[in-house]
């Protein structure tokens, strides 16, 4: 029976997925092909999440399995075989807020989906975000915040981007526990995502034209 | 002679706690009006808890550092100067006039955590700016391989493994032996258990604990003084005690969100067993607070069982059984469990609707009609004025929201109006509008 890495990962069978990866490496299979198969498994995870069959623990656990697969495959990757990226996305938890769980899931899912993600971490000062947009030329920005104090930090960040003349070229999504359409309006963002998958879908919509 | 606590029935325990809340022993009211206000407010809350129609819908907005912002202070100010906390929380309650206060416990004493070199949170001036709230620093403070030690003896695990990790000044406690060793006079039993107390690092740790204790004592004086003052002014405290869902204790405090999610796949039986181990511990924590403070309400902030955080099957397996057991235990001890369902809870209504009817359910993001129909037909419920509306909405937005929730949640009683999340830098005028509108339109005819 053929060993199906995509299925094992999609079904969150950790031990099996790791064993298959190891077997493939031992049989000298192409490292990029192994990662592509893992990518198919992650597609399954994303689809099941969108359908409401998978939840946050499943996403996080799939990320852990993928991390272990990557770790095994990495030494076999030759230079110049990095995946083609879909576009640039900057993600940051805004100033004053140090929450990262939701942000990290989004960063991970964007990365898996093939985007070049600039994860700026938590409690990111406004000016650093402005500088990053200039430096990278990214056209999609995601601002995360769990606390209500993030409302103003998001608003001020977006105002600073406007003042720097960067807002028009930029699509901005916000996200976090207390984010609603009212807050989108208040902060001047374009929209918000309730889940990491919604965030990925927004990035796809904005960047894959 | 009055019955001992342990000899009372659950109903007698409940009556005891409710009576002490309604008629606090030793209370000195500022005026007959203040006494009338106090009792009126407690009765209003009790009527709501008992699914009756009070004179009107009680209103109790949930507080974070709102009082500090309201008075022009930062969270740092009120965490490091207890008299400022006292002043700010007093002024805020007197000027906004809700139906209860939530003490000054929301402003934890910064110096205590400085002394301990506390690592579980960042707080104003210590990892986050002085003008924002304290925030959890999640981590794997317990390794997956340590479940067996935790399950075997949670207290010893906390003392010798967990505290040394989350408090820099408690590191030396890792050399302590279990106190349960001290069962015999034979040398290796009791005397040997004292050996660690003789070594300088442990002695230093204990000296730090004593200093932290002195600081905590100073702080609790302000807490007690505040409570007595608010009673005198006619405002009851809302909370008797607090504890947590066992799953959240493991997830928030010990394993971290990620670690706990991995455990659901990698070592589910141990995760369940650890949660079970915390059931009596959490019941005791909640009951002790309620008895000490003479108020039956025990707060349980719910975190990791929200919509999306797990599927229905996982909720029923990992989250719900031990939370239910804690709440049943609290009810047997005369308490009113107040689980506060932070985040969305629509997908959980089918499970929680069958919980004992003594429970007061608080909601954040919820389908109002469904929550009232499924849960509110049996339970008292609280919530859910969106914090987003209060923070950025206009006066009219707030009025419309309050009226809407009175109509839906308030119908036939059993409802306490609350905010969907704790208030921080919420505009004071919007808070006053919320409370005043509730008072005006929440009257039961």
């Amino acid at each position: 029976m053929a060993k199906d890495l995509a299925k094992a990962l999609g079904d969150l069978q950790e031990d099996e997925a790791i064993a298959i990866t190891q077997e493939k490496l031992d049989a000298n299979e192409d490292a990029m092909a192994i990662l592509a198969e893992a990518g198919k498994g992650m597609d399954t995870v994303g689809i099941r999440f969108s359908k409401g069959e998978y939840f946050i623990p499943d996403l996080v656990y799939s990320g852990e399995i993928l991390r272990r697969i990557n770790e095994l495959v990495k030494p076999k990757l030759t230079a110049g075989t990095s995946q083609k990226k879909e576009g640039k996305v900057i993600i940051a938890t805004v100033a004053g807020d140090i929450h990262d769980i939701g942000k990290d899931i989004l960063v991970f899912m964007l990365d898996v989906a093939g985007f070049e993600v600039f994860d700026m971490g938590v409690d990111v000062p406004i000016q650093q975000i402005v500088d990053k947009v200039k430096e990278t030329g990214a056209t999609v920005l995601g601002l995360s915040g769990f606390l209500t104090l993030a409302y103003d930090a998001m608003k001020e960040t977006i105002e600073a981007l406007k003042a720097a003349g960067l807002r028009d070229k930029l699509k901005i999504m916000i996200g976090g526990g207390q984010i609603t359409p009212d807050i989108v309006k208040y902060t001047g963002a374009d929209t918000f995502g309730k889940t990491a998958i919604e965030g990925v879908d927004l990035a796809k919509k904005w960047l894959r034209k | 002679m009055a019955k001992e606590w342990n000899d009372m029935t659950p109903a007698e325990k409940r009556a005891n706690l409710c009576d002490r809340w309604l008629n606090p022993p030793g209370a000195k009211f500022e005026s007959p009006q203040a006494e009338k206000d106090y009792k009126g407010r407690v009765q209003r809350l009790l009527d709501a808890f008992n699914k009756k129609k009070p004179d009107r819908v009680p209103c109790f907005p949930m507080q974070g550092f709102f009082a500090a912002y309201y008075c022009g202070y930062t969270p740092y100010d009120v965490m490091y100067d207890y008299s400022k906390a006292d002043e700010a929380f007093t002024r805020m309650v007197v000027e906004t006039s809700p139906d209860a206060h939530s003490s000054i416990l929301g402003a934890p004493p910064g110096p205590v955590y400085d002394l301990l070199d506390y690592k579980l949170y960042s707080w104003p001036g210590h990892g986050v700016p002085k003008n924002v709230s304290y925030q959890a620093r999640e981590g794997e403070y317990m390794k997956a391989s340590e479940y067996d030690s935790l399950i075997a003896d949670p207290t010893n695990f906390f003392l010798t493994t967990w505290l040394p990790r989350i408090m820099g000044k408690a590191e030396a406690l890792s050399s302590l032996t279990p106190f349960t060793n001290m069962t015999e006079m034979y040398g290796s039993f009791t005397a040997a258990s004292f050996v660690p107390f003789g070594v300088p690092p442990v002695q230093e740790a204990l000296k730090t604990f004593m200093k932290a204790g002195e600081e905590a004592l100073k702080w609790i004086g302000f807490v007690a003084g505040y409570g007595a003052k608010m009673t005198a002014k006619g405002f009851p405290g809302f909370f008797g005690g607090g504890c947590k869902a066992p799953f959240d204790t493991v997830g928030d405090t010990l394993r971290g969100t990620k670690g706990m999610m991995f455990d659901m796949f990698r070592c589910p039986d141990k995760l369940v067993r650890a949660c079970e181990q915390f059931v009596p511990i959490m019941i005791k924590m909640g009951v002790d607070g309620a008895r000490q403070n003479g108020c039956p309400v025990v707060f349980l902030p719910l975190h990791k069982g929200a919509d999306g955080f797990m599927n229905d099957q996982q909720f029923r397996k990992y989250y719900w059984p031990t939370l239910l057991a804690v709440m049943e235990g609290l009810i047997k001890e005369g308490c009113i469990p107040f689980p506060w369902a932070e985040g969305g809870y629509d997908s959980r209504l089918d499970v929680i609707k069958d919980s004992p009817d003594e429970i007061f359910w608080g909601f954040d993001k919820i389908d109002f009609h469904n929550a009232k129909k499924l849960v509110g037909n049996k339970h008292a419920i609280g919530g859910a004025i969106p914090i987003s509306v209060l923070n950025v909405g206009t006066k009219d937005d707030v009025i419309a929201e309050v009226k809407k929730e009175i109509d839906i949640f308030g119908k036939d009683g059993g409802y306490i109006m609350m905010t969907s999340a704790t208030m921080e830098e919420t505009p004071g005028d919007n808070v006053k509008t919320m409370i005043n509108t509730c008072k005006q339109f929440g009257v039961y005819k």
Side-chain angles (χ1 to χ4, degrees):
Chain A
M1 197 181 81
K3 298 282 189 183
D4 190 339
L5 176 59
K7 185 173 185 313
L9 178 53
D11 291 345
L12 306 177
Q13 297 301 313
E14 180 177 17
D15 293 343
E16 197 187 336
I18 298 302
I20 295 172
T21 305
Q22 194 57 57
E23 275 172 37
K24 286 176 181 288
L25 288 169
D26 291 345
N28 279 322
E29 280 194 32
D30 177 45
M32 285 308 293
I34 297 174
L35 288 185
E37 234 189 283
K40 277 186 203 158
M42 291 306 298
D43 288 343
T44 306
V45 172
I47 290 165
R48 288 182 184 169
F49 185 89
S50 300
K51 283 186 184 165
E53 293 165 16
Y54 276 178
F55 292 76
I56 294 172
D58 307 293
L59 284 186
V60 173
Y61 187 48
S62 70
E64 169 71 359
I65 302 172
L66 186 65
R67 183 191 64 76
R68 292 188 60 196
I69 293 171
N70 279 333
E71 223 165 61
L72 289 172
V73 172
K74 225 178 202 170
K76 299 286 174 82
L77 280 175
T78 47
T81 53
S82 69
Q83 282 171 287
K84 190 174 155 285
K85 296 289 180 181
E86 294 282 347
K88 293 175 182 177
V89 182
I90 298 172
I91 302 291
T93 298
V94 293
D97 197 322
I98 62 167
H99 289 85
D100 61 7
I101 295 172
K103 173 191 73 69
D104 286 351
I105 297 172
L106 174 61
V107 166
F108 162 70
M109 293 308 289
L110 284 166
D111 184 57
V112 166
F115 293 96
E116 187 178 355
V117 191
F118 300 90
D119 177 7
M120 298 190 69
V122 298
D123 187 15
V124 185
I126 293 171
Q127 192 55 44
Q128 279 185 22
I129 296 175
V130 174
D131 292 345
K132 198 72 173 177
V133 172
K134 277 188 203 159
E135 173 201 319
T136 60
T139 53
V140 174
L141 169 67
L143 297 176
S144 171
F146 182 71
L147 305 172
T148 51
L149 69 87
Y151 296 167
D152 282 325
M154 287 172 175
K155 186 175 199 265
E156 286 159 20
T157 303
I158 294 170
E159 278 166 3
L161 288 162
K162 249 184 227 166
L166 298 165
R167 179 67 183 93
D168 294 344
K169 288 173 245 162
L170 209 52
K171 287 285 187 188
I172 301 176
M173 56 174 141
I174 57 175
Q178 296 298 336
I179 302 297
T180 63
D182 289 342
I183 302 304
V184 171
K185 204 172 137 200
Y186 177 75
T187 56
D190 290 299
T191 187
F192 76 114
K194 273 190 186 166
T195 65
I197 298 294
E198 280 186 32
V200 172
D201 287 344
L202 285 168
K204 281 182 184 167
K205 190 177 93 182
W206 288 334
L207 287 167
R208 290 180 185 171
K209 280 171 187 163
Chain B
M1 205 177 81
K3 263 191 188 178
E4 292 285 329
W5 184 263
N6 287 338
D7 297 330
M8 293 184 196
T9 64
E12 286 168 339
K13 288 176 179 175
R14 169 101 178 232
N16 174 293
L17 290 172
C18 291
D19 181 56
R20 284 170 60 204
W21 197 22
L22 196 56
N23 303 292
K28 291 189 179 66
F29 294 101
E30 277 180 1
S31 63
Q33 184 60 42
E35 181 171 4
K36 197 176 156 218
D37 288 347
Y38 178 94
K39 291 182 176 170
R41 287 179 171 123
V42 174
Q43 193 58 55
R44 191 172 295 133
L45 294 167
L46 284 172
D47 285 347
F49 286 133
N50 291 326
K51 280 88 65 186
K52 291 182 189 158
K53 274 188 193 175
D55 54 349
R56 68 163 165 79
V57 172
C59 190
F60 176 62
M62 295 289 272
Q63 315 282 328
F65 281 102
F66 170 65
Y69 294 109
Y70 179 79
C71 293
Y73 290 130
T74 62
Y76 175 88
D77 292 333
V78 295
M79 281 180 71
Y80 282 85
D81 184 338
Y82 312 142
S83 62
K84 283 181 182 160
D86 178 59
E87 176 208 326
F89 282 74
T90 302
R91 203 183 118 197
M92 178 272 294
V93 170
V94 169
E95 291 184 6
T96 62
S97 197
D99 281 307
H101 71 83
S102 47
S103 183
I104 56 170
L105 296 168
V112 172
Y113 296 95
D114 285 335
L115 281 165
L116 296 169
D117 184 18
Y118 192 59
K119 298 168 195 291
L120 198 60
Y121 275 76
S122 291
W123 61 93
H126 194 116
V128 293
K130 289 183 177 177
N131 64 341
V132 305
S133 170
Y134 57 87
Q135 299 171 45
R137 292 174 60 192
E138 273 224 7
E140 233 175 312
Y141 299 102
M142 177 186 114
K143 297 174 195 141
S145 59
E146 291 170 334
Y147 268 110
D148 290 341
S149 309
L150 172 77
I151 291 163
D153 187 344
T155 300
N156 189 57
F157 182 81
F158 265 57
L159 185 64
T160 63
T161 305
W162 188 72
L163 289 186
R165 286 181 188 155
I166 64 130
M167 295 175 187
K169 297 294 182 185
E171 270 174 28
L173 299 187
S174 59
S175 64
L176 298 185
T177 55
F179 286 6
T180 41
N181 285 4
M182 300 190 217
T183 51
E184 288 289 349
M185 190 163 186
Y186 182 75
S188 68
F189 284 62
T190 302
S193 297
F194 275 88
V195 172
F197 291 100
V199 300
V202 173
Q203 294 193 335
E204 279 308 308
L206 295 179
K207 280 181 199 159
T208 304
F209 274 32
M210 285 163 70
K211 274 189 218 150
E214 285 161 14
E215 185 63 33
L217 205 57
K218 193 173 129 194
W219 168 75
I220 206 72
F222 278 87
V223 175
Y226 177 82
K229 180 170 61 179
M230 297 321 290
T231 297
K233 289 181 181 301
F235 295 97
F238 194 85
F239 300 108
C243 61
K244 288 181 65 175
F247 187 89
D248 288 332
T249 303
V250 176
D252 294 347
T253 307
L254 296 166
R255 294 285 295 131
T257 306
K258 243 172 135 175
M260 174 271 295
M261 286 176 174
F262 296 164
D263 298 343
M264 284 163 57
F265 296 96
R266 289 173 173 164
C267 53
D269 296 343
K270 287 186 180 182
L271 172 57
V272 168
R273 188 67 196 85
C275 290
E276 288 166 355
Q277 203 66 333
F278 274 106
V279 169
I281 295 171
M282 288 299 134
I283 294 171
K284 178 171 168 47
M285 186 179 165
V287 174
D288 285 354
R291 287 186 61 192
Q292 193 163 359
N293 292 311
C295 168
V297 183
V298 175
F299 183 50
L300 297 102
L302 305 185
H303 296 154
K304 294 182 160 62
D307 289 342
F309 274 63
M310 54 180 78
N311 65 35
D312 182 58
Q313 207 185 347
Q314 288 164 333
F315 183 79
R316 290 170 194 265
K317 176 178 174 180
Y318 295 108
Y319 198 87
W320 181 243
T322 48
L323 168 59
L324 179 62
V326 169
M327 295 197 292
E328 287 171 342
L330 289 170
I331 292 166
K332 272 190 197 148
E333 290 295 305
C335 299
I336 301 171
F338 165 26
W340 198 32
E342 297 182 27
Y345 242 67
D346 288 317
S347 63
R348 313 301 182 207
L349 294 178
D350 256 341
V351 178
I352 70 175
K353 69 178 168 52
D354 298 321
S355 57
D357 53 11
E358 291 89 343
I359 297 169
F360 167 65
W361 279 99
F363 294 113
D364 170 1
K365 289 188 184 60
I366 202 79
D367 178 317
F368 294 168
H369 291 281
N370 234 2
K372 181 71 181 177
K373 191 175 87 187
L374 292 175
V375 180
N377 70 343
K378 179 174 162 189
H379 301 85
I381 52 179
I385 304 294
I387 199 73
S388 54
V389 171
L390 277 180
N391 275 31
V392 310
T394 62
K395 186 176 180 178
D396 287 343
D397 293 337
V398 176
I399 291 172
E401 189 65 40
V402 169
K403 283 184 176 174
K404 182 170 90 185
E405 296 198 25
I406 287 171
D407 284 347
I408 301 169
F409 284 138
K411 193 169 180 290
D412 301 325
Y415 170 54
I416 298 174
M417 178 168 290
M418 295 175 147
T419 45
S420 71
T422 55
M423 302 189 300
E424 305 288 340
E425 63 293 66
T426 309
D429 285 344
N430 275 359
V431 178
K432 286 178 188 164
T433 299
M434 170 185 167
I435 294 170
N436 293 338
T437 310
C438 182
K439 286 179 181 175
Q440 191 184 346
F441 293 94
V443 177
Y444 289 104
K445 289 169 185 118

